[in-house]
Amino acid sequence: MDTLRYGGETTCFEIRAGDALVLVDCGSGARNLGGLLVSEGPRHFDLLFTHTHLDHICGLPFFKPAYDPRFTINAWAGHFLDETDLVDIICRIMSPPIFPVAATTLKAVTFRTFKAGSAIDRSDGLSIRTIRLNHPGGACGYRFTYGGRSICIITDHEHGDPEIDAALIDFVAGAEVMIYDAMFTDAEYETYRGWGHSTWQKAVELATRAGVRTPVLFHHDPRRSDDELDEIGMAAEAAHPGTLVASEGMILRP
């Protein structure tokens, strides 16, 4: 009852740009989205992963389009710090005794890798830039630009690496929307240093320094109640007017 307003699904973003569809991450929120896509399409899209921790990939075995031969899905990951392939990770979670259906049944999916920091080439007017983030095992942030407007997805990320922090200011500069890892508060952070997450105070600080119009606080601590998120939202709004607290089903228009 404490998370009815903000929701409890794990990460899945739907990016629409003209006729293009791009998904970012395939957490538990992908299950309901998959049902809608089977009914409405489109049937060709890219699925980009920020990283492959379980909360960001657990929806793929329950994502209906992945099994549907009418679909063509290019699944991408660029966060790996070694020669691991995305398909290797998915095979590990979709194998006995963890899961009864093998990854080879994902007939619609082609698995691809890239290196965080490179661009993902497209020919439809949608620009996708990437950046390496600070998270155990690696993570990748994305900047989508279409029609002169940008939305950045910066999760899962822990502030504190000088090189990455400096690059991140330039990466999100001037974006209309920045979705940022705000799992902790500054007061909580020292207890969880090294866990790979940031704070809402760092989110609004980065937004102010980089000229971001609308920071969106994301990746809430799962123990956080709706009322606690309301309090954080009011404090963040006071620090950076226009700041939003992410909620399940939220629609953003840069």
Side-chain angles (χ1 to χ4, degrees):
M1 298 294 290
D2 290 337
T3 58
L4 291 179
R5 285 185 282 112
Y6 289 96
E9 300 277 22
T10 63
T11 309
C12 181
F13 298 100
E14 178 184 6
I15 305 291
R16 298 274 184 166
D19 294 329
L21 168 65
V22 178
L23 305 186
V24 179
D25 285 340
C26 205
S28 63
R31 182 176 58 86
N32 288 335
L33 175 58
L36 294 174
L37 292 176
V38 167
S39 300
E40 303 172 4
R43 292 181 177 164
H44 175 83
F45 56 87
D46 288 302
L47 168 58
L48 311 179
F49 288 96
T50 59
H51 65 306
T52 49
H53 284 164
L54 189 57
D55 53 325
H56 294 254
I57 65 174
C58 64
L60 186 58
F62 306 95
F63 186 58
K64 286 185 176 181
Y67 299 90
D68 192 328
R70 297 174 300 169
F71 283 79
T72 302
I73 304 170
N74 289 311
W76 300 83
H79 68 286
F80 295 118
L81 304 177
D82 54 25
E83 299 306 312
T84 300
D85 285 326
L86 176 57
V87 67
D88 298 333
I89 303 298
I90 302 305
C91 285
R92 287 166 67 180
I93 68 165
M94 295 185 68
S95 61
I98 301 170
F99 199 74
V101 178
T104 53
T105 60
L106 303 176
K107 299 297 185 183
V109 183
T110 300
F111 294 96
R112 304 178 184 276
T113 57
F114 65 95
K115 290 294 183 183
S118 60
I120 297 176
D121 294 329
R122 302 175 65 91
S123 59
D124 55 5
L126 174 62
S127 166
I128 305 178
R129 294 169 52 203
T130 73
I131 187 171
R132 180 171 64 93
L133 300 178
N134 183 28
H135 193 68
C140 181
Y142 295 96
R143 180 171 180 142
F144 301 90
T145 303
Y146 184 80
R149 297 183 178 185
S150 295
I151 181 169
C152 299
I153 296 176
I154 309 299
T155 186
D156 292 19
H157 171 64
E158 181 171 356
H159 62 279
D161 181 300
E163 181 181 352
I164 294 177
D165 288 350
L168 195 53
I169 294 173
D170 292 336
F171 187 79
V172 304
E176 279 70 29
V177 175
M178 178 188 71
I179 301 167
Y180 185 89
D181 186 327
M183 187 167 184
F184 303 122
T185 67
D186 279 355
E188 296 165 341
Y189 174 68
E190 286 304 321
T191 301
Y192 301 103
R193 181 184 291 271
W195 284 39
H197 297 284
S198 194
T199 72
W200 71 260
Q201 290 95 335
K202 289 298 181 183
V204 297
E205 178 184 316
L206 175 60
T208 300
R209 292 184 64 187
V212 171
R213 186 187 70 196
T214 304
V216 181
L217 309 182
F218 182 72
H219 210 303
H220 311 309
D221 186 328
R223 299 167 297 180
R224 199 85 70 196
S225 69
D226 287 339
D227 290 344
E228 289 170 329
L229 288 173
D230 284 343
E231 292 180 6
I232 287 173
M234 288 187 289
E237 165 70 19
H240 187 109
T243 299
L244 301 175
V245 179
S247 60
E248 191 175 315
M250 176 180 278
I251 297 174
L252 302 168
R253 293 183 172 90

